[in-house]
Amino acid sequence: MSGEGSWRSADYAERFKTHDHADFAQEFLRRNPDYAREYSQTEQRALADPAKAQEEREGLARRWGLSFPLRSGKIGDG
């Protein structure tokens, strides 16, 4: 491999030992081209109609099975 090392090596495992399942799931989702496209479209709609921004984002989360259990308050609270 080109300087990356094998995912089976002890060094590779050490680099990711503090990551949990959610960390890996987030990274896979971020790299999913279908999700990236839908996220971009959702954000464009949210910017075009700020009154519906939360509804748009909640729809995206629902379609992709996302939840944010530690979030307090509404999206956009400053």
Side-chain angles (χ1 to χ4, degrees):
M1 296 181 94
S2 60
E4 281 290 316
S6 170
W7 64 270
R8 294 177 188 209
S9 73
D11 178 54
Y12 203 80
E14 185 69 23
R15 288 173 43 201
F16 297 104
K17 75 177 185 179
T18 60
H19 291 53
D20 63 13
H21 291 206
D23 294 327
F24 288 106
Q26 177 184 6
E27 190 60 25
F28 278 105
L29 187 60
R30 186 182 72 79
R31 293 171 186 237
N32 181 308
D34 294 330
Y35 173 79
R37 181 176 41 257
E38 190 170 345
Y39 177 85
S40 177
Q41 291 168 348
T42 298
E43 287 303 302
Q44 289 173 6
R45 288 190 304 272
L47 290 171
D49 189 353
K52 292 189 175 186
Q54 183 171 346
E55 181 181 331
E56 290 288 347
R57 291 177 178 131
E58 287 174 354
L60 174 73
R62 201 171 30 259
R63 287 187 296 279
W64 284 89
L66 304 175
S67 63
F68 305 95
L70 301 177
R71 175 177 287 164
S72 61
K74 295 185 289 187
I75 294 174
D77 282 353

